[in-house]
Amino acid sequence: MKLSDKELEIIEILEKDARTPIDVLAKMIDLPVEETEALVHKLEEANVIVQYTTLVDWRKVDGHEGVTAMIDVKVTPKRGVGFDEVAERIYRFPEVKSVYLMSGAYDLSVVIEGRSMAEVAQFVSEKLSTLDSVISTTTHFILKKYKHDGTIFDKGDQDRRIVVAP
């Protein structure tokens, strides 16, 4: 889908802050509110704007620390559908937050969230690695999130740092 310059401006602004009020958005792109609303609606209907989300720092919510893991998955693609079928089977698990087709040593990168490392390990051993097409997995646990989707976490919290001894 070819987008106009105004449509591109809209998605760039909303990607940075999905809560931008429509009247502010209209002023930013120098269009009337009604025309801006129509363009946003068009982008939503075309699924260019897929969803509006909230980025939460769960470490600041008592009892919701959780664990995030990035799992490299090597798979055997299926004839006629390639990686799509196994990717779909993986992304249908509720624990899975993202699935990406990758270049390099592994085929898929899977991001999952769980309440504990044990829960993530159980997912990998009982659900992911048992899929027919999965050859191998490598799990990486996220220890600290510094930046996510362009947002820096803990900007003013420079006193708590992870220090690794040489």
Side-chain angles (χ1 to χ4, degrees):
M1 175 178 190
K2 180 91 171 126
L3 298 182
S4 70
D5 289 342
K6 294 295 183 183
E7 290 167 330
L8 285 171
E9 282 183 73
I10 288 171
I11 61 175
E12 287 170 358
I13 292 166
L14 291 178
E15 187 176 39
K16 288 181 183 137
D17 184 2
R19 293 185 59 179
T20 304
I22 197 72
D23 59 322
V24 173
L25 182 61
K27 286 179 188 171
M28 291 173 79
I29 64 169
D30 197 30
L31 284 179
V33 171
E34 297 78 22
E35 191 174 339
T36 303
E37 283 178 323
L39 288 174
V40 169
H41 182 72
K42 174 186 167 191
L43 293 166
E44 291 168 343
E45 290 296 311
N47 234 13
V48 172
I49 297 175
V50 178
Q51 182 177 349
Y52 297 94
T53 61
T54 302
L55 183 58
V56 177
D57 188 350
W58 286 106
R59 294 172 308 145
K60 295 182 178 178
V61 180
D62 290 341
H64 287 84
E65 291 80 17
V67 174
T68 302
M70 300 176 81
I71 306 165
D72 298 327
V73 184
K74 192 175 282 193
V75 300
T76 303
K78 299 239 177 167
R79 186 179 304 275
V81 293
F83 296 100
D84 293 347
E85 185 178 290
V86 70
E88 182 177 348
R89 288 186 69 194
I90 292 170
Y91 71 61
R92 291 196 179 279
F93 289 114
E95 300 91 338
V96 173
K97 300 302 173 196
S98 305
V99 178
Y100 305 98
L101 179 62
M102 306 296 289
S103 64
Y106 289 88
D107 303 306
L108 299 173
S109 180
V110 179
V111 178
I112 75 161
E113 292 179 357
R115 290 184 297 256
S116 66
M117 286 186 173
E119 186 176 277
V120 170
Q122 183 177 8
F123 169 81
V124 173
S125 65
E126 295 179 8
K127 294 180 180 178
L128 186 59
S129 64
T130 61
L131 295 175
D132 291 337
S133 298
V134 173
I135 298 168
S136 67
T137 64
T138 302
T139 303
H140 310 274
F141 289 98
I142 295 177
L143 301 177
K144 183 176 180 180
K145 191 181 295 188
Y146 293 100
K147 187 174 182 178
H148 182 83
D149 286 343
T151 300
I152 298 170
F153 281 64
D154 288 334
K155 287 183 211 173
D157 195 9
Q158 300 301 322
D159 293 335
R160 288 188 289 151
R161 294 189 177 122
I162 293 178
V163 178
V164 179

